[in-house]
C-alpha cells in the first residue's frame, strides 16, 4: 500500500492511500458526494452529485498514473471518472468509462487554500477543474469540468470509507483466570468471524471476517482464586468481564493466519487502510 502526500502550501497537509476507497464529498454540503448515476456499470454513465448512501456507486479508489496524475476508479463498476469525449472546454461533461490511461481520465490533486486540512481541488490534465454545476446541492446535480473559479463548487474532501457495526457476546462459564482468558479468546474469535481451521505447516491461511476496533464491558463476574504465599493460603478476588460489546470494522477483512504450534496470530488488512493483529494461545479454535 502506498502513502501519498499531496502537493501543499505551508501548514497544509493531506494524506491518502493508493488502493483505498473514498467518498468525494462536496464542500457545498457534507451530505453530498460524487456518484455514478443509478450505480450503472455502463460506459458513459453520468457522474453527478447525490446524498451519501454508502453504496458502491459513491466509492472511488485512487490509482497512480506514474506522471503526477491519478485516476479515480469506481468501486461498483471498476470504471474511471472520465471527461466525456476528452473535451477541454468549460462545461464538458464528466462520466465514467473503461480505464484506458487517456488524458481524459488523468487528474491532479491540490490542497484547497483557505479550507481546513483535507479539502482538495481536482484538476483534469486539460487544466480544467472538477466542478458541481451551478454550485447546486440537489440530488442529480451534474458534475462537469470548468475553469478554476475559487468557489466551493470546485472543492471536495476525500473521506475514507470506514463503517462500524457492533456485536455483544456473553462469555462461557469460567472459574479461573486461565478459563476466563480462554473464553475471552473464543469470544474474540467469534466476533471477527474466525472460521474452522485445519493444520497448515506453512502458516499461510486466509479467511474473511471483521476487525475488532473497540470493546465495552457490559457485565462482570467476580471469581475467587486461592494460592499459597510463604506457606500460607491466600484467596484473592478478581472482577473479570463476562459480557462484552465488540465494536467491529464493518468491511469484509482479509485475514492472514500464522500458526507456530504455540500461538496463532491473526493479521487483518482492509482495502480502506484499517489494520490489526491479534495473537491467541494454542489450542486454536475448533
Amino acid at each position: 500500500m502506498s502513502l501519498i502526500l499531496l502537493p501543499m502550501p505551508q501548514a497544509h497537509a493531506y494524506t491518502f492511500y493508493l488502493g483505498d476507497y473514498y467518498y468525494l464529498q462536496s464542500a457545498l454540503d457534507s451530505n453530498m458526494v460524487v456518484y455514478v448515476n443509478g450505480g450503472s456499470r455502463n460506459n458513459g454513465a453520468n457522474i453527478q452529485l447525490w446524498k451519501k448512501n454508502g453504496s458502491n456507486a459513491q466509492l472511488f479508489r485512487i490509482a497512480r498514473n506514474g506522471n503526477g496524475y491519478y485516476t479515480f476508479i469506481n468501486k461498483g463498476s471498476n470504471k474511471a471518472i472520465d471527461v466525456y469525449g476528452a473535451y477541454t472546454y468549460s462545461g464538458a461533461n464528466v462520466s465514467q468509462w473503461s480505464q484506458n490511461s487517456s488524458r481524459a481520465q488523468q487528474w491532479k490533486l491540490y490542497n484547497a487554500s483557505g479550507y481546513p486540512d483535507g479539502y482538495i481541488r481536482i484538476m483534469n490534465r486539460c487544466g480544467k477543474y472538477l466542478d458541481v454545476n451551478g454550485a447546486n446541492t440537489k440530488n442529480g446535480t451534474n458534475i462537469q469540468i470548468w475553469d478554476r473559479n475559487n468557489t466551493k463548487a470546485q472543492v471536495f474532501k476525500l473521506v475514507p470509507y470506514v463503517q462500524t457495526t457492533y456485536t455483544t457476546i456473553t462469555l462461557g462459564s469460567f472459574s479461573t483466570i486461565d478459563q476466563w482468558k480462554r473464553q475471552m479468546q473464543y469470544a474474540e474469535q467469534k466476533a471477527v468471524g474466525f472460521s474452522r481451521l485445519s493444520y497448515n505447516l506453512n502458516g499461510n491461511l486466509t479467511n474473511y471476517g471483521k476487525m475488532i476496533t473497540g470493546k465495552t464491558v457490559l457485565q462482570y463476574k467476580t471469581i475467587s482464586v486461592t494460592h499459597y504465599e510463604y506457606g500460607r493460603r491466600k484467596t484473592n478476588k478478581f472482577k473479570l468481564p463476562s459480557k462484552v460489546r465488540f465494536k467491529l470494522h464493518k468491511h469484509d477483512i482479509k485475514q492472514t493466519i500464522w500458526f507456530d504450534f504455540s500461538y496463532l496470530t491473526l493479521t487483518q488488512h482492509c482495502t480502506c487502510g484499517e489494520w490489526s493483529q491479534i495473537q491467541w494461545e494454542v489450542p486454536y479454535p475448533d
Side-chain angles (χ1 to χ4, degrees), residues 139-171:
N139 279 341
T141 299
N142 197 46
I143 301 294
Q144 58 189 10
I145 58 170
W146 202 270
D147 288 325
R148 177 167 174 167
N149 54 27
N150 296 323
T151 68
K152 286 186 176 181
Q154 295 183 351
V155 177
F156 299 87
K157 184 177 183 180
L158 288 176
V159 178
Y161 173 49
V162 177
Q163 290 187 326
T164 298
T165 187
Y166 297 87
T167 187
T168 298
I169 298 176
T170 300
L171 274 62

Side-chain angles (χ1 to χ4, degrees), residues 20-21 43 71 75 113 129 167 233 243 262:
D20 288 7
Y21 285 101
N43 281 337
T71 299
K75 188 174 192 294
S113 58
Y129 287 78
T167 187
R233 186 182 182 196
K243 186 176 182 179
S262 296

Side-chain angles (χ1 to χ4, degrees), residues 9 31 33 59 116-117 131 133 142 189 207 210 236 254:
N31 293 314
V33 297
L59 295 170
D117 289 351
D131 179 280
N133 185 28
N142 197 46
Q189 292 162 0
N207 178 48
K210 301 188 184 303
N236 295 324
K254 182 177 181 181

Side-chain angles (χ1 to χ4, degrees), residues 215-283:
K215 301 175 186 176
T216 302
V217 178
L218 302 180
Q219 290 181 8
Y220 290 89
K221 177 181 176 181
T222 300
I223 64 171
S224 297
V225 177
T226 300
H227 67 285
Y228 287 88
E229 188 174 313
Y230 302 112
R232 294 186 177 183
R233 186 182 182 196
K234 285 194 172 185
T235 300
N236 295 324
K237 292 185 179 295
F238 293 90
K239 186 179 179 181
L240 301 172
S242 61
K243 186 176 182 179
V244 180
R245 184 175 185 245
F246 291 94
K247 181 181 179 182
L248 302 169
H249 186 65
K250 197 172 181 180
H251 296 161
D252 285 333
I253 307 295
K254 182 177 181 181
Q255 304 180 150
T256 302
I257 299 98
W258 179 266
F259 175 51
D260 67 1
F261 300 100
S262 296
Y263 293 92
L264 188 143
T265 303
L266 175 71
T267 304
Q268 301 175 304
H269 293 276
C270 183
T271 54
C272 76
E274 288 289 314
W275 179 90
S276 177
Q277 189 172 78
I278 302 175
Q279 189 174 76
W280 296 308
E281 294 180 17
V282 175

Side-chain angles (χ1 to χ4, degrees), residues 6 8-14 111-118:
L6 296 182
M8 61 182 184
Q10 197 67 25
H12 269 275
Y14 188 66
N111 283 288
S113 58
Y115 290 84
D117 289 351

Side-chain angles (χ1 to χ4, degrees), residues 8-171:
M8 61 182 184
Q10 197 67 25
H12 269 275
Y14 188 66
T15 302
F16 68 88
Y17 294 87
L18 296 176
D20 288 7
Y21 285 101
Y22 293 89
Y23 295 101
L24 299 179
Q25 176 184 294
S26 173
L28 295 163
D29 186 331
S30 62
N31 293 314
M32 306 302 291
V33 297
V34 174
Y35 167 81
V36 177
N37 185 26
S40 175
R41 296 173 180 268
N42 297 331
N43 281 337
N46 199 43
I47 300 293
Q48 55 194 36
L49 209 61
W50 202 270
K51 187 174 182 179
K52 187 176 177 182
N53 58 26
S55 69
N56 288 345
Q58 297 181 341
L59 295 170
F60 298 86
R61 64 180 172 88
I62 305 169
R64 191 205 307 267
N65 288 301
N67 53 7
Y69 291 89
Y70 300 89
T71 299
F72 291 90
I73 302 168
N74 182 252
K75 188 174 192 294
S77 66
N78 201 37
K79 290 183 165 57
I81 294 180
D82 178 284
V83 179
Y84 184 77
Y87 295 131
T88 60
Y89 61 84
S90 286
N93 195 43
V94 173
S95 59
Q96 71 172 10
W97 205 268
S98 297
Q99 300 171 51
N100 55 29
S101 301
S102 71
R103 297 168 68 93
Q105 296 181 357
Q106 296 184 26
W107 306 85
K108 188 166 283 190
L109 282 63
Y110 296 96
N111 283 288
S113 58
Y115 290 84
D117 289 351
Y119 285 87
I120 61 173
R121 300 181 191 277
I122 304 172
M123 186 189 74
N124 186 259
R125 191 159 184 178
C126 72
K128 300 290 194 297
Y129 287 78
L130 200 68
D131 179 280
V132 178
N133 185 28
N136 201 318
T137 57
K138 294 180 180 178
N139 279 341
T141 299
N142 197 46
I143 301 294
Q144 58 189 10
I145 58 170
W146 202 270
D147 288 325
R148 177 167 174 167
N149 54 27
N150 296 323
T151 68
K152 286 186 176 181
Q154 295 183 351
V155 177
F156 299 87
K157 184 177 183 180
L158 288 176
V159 178
Y161 173 49
V162 177
Q163 290 187 326
T164 298
T165 187
Y166 297 87
T167 187
T168 298
I169 298 176
T170 300
L171 274 62

